[in-house]
Amino acid sequence: FALNRLIGFISHFRTEEELADVTTFFKNHRAPGAERTIKQAKEIIHLNIKWLSHNRNELDSWFNSQNQS
């Protein structure tokens, strides 16, 4: 149960540093039986990183236009 909550939390990470931290954490703290879930969470983080990288400029423009209103 606690592992599922942790995985749900880390799935919102979006930086290379956070991905590295997750990788290191689970390398040092084995979770037998949860390898697939951990792999999926790391894949989600990687997708978050790619999405943010692809959309960063558009997001910045949108937020800046909202602040000027």
Side-chain angles (χ1 to χ4, degrees):
F1 176 72
L3 182 60
N4 287 337
R5 291 181 66 191
L6 177 62
I7 297 300
F9 176 74
I10 66 174
S11 294
H12 295 285
F13 288 178
R14 63 192 180 285
T15 67
E16 292 287 347
E17 182 180 33
E18 290 168 326
L19 178 57
D21 288 345
V22 168
T23 300
T24 300
F25 179 84
F26 283 108
K27 188 182 295 184
N28 294 329
H29 302 88
R30 300 284 181 200
E35 292 87 359
R36 182 171 183 224
T37 303
I38 294 165
K39 181 180 177 186
Q40 290 173 337
K42 289 168 48 176
E43 289 172 356
I44 291 170
I45 296 168
H46 183 72
L47 290 172
N48 290 346
I49 292 167
K50 288 182 78 169
W51 184 90
L52 188 57
S53 175
H54 185 287
N55 293 291
R56 183 179 304 275
N57 290 338
E58 188 174 337
L59 288 169
D60 285 344
S61 294
W62 185 84
F63 281 117
N64 286 334
S65 72
Q66 297 303 305
N67 286 335
Q68 295 174 0
S69 302

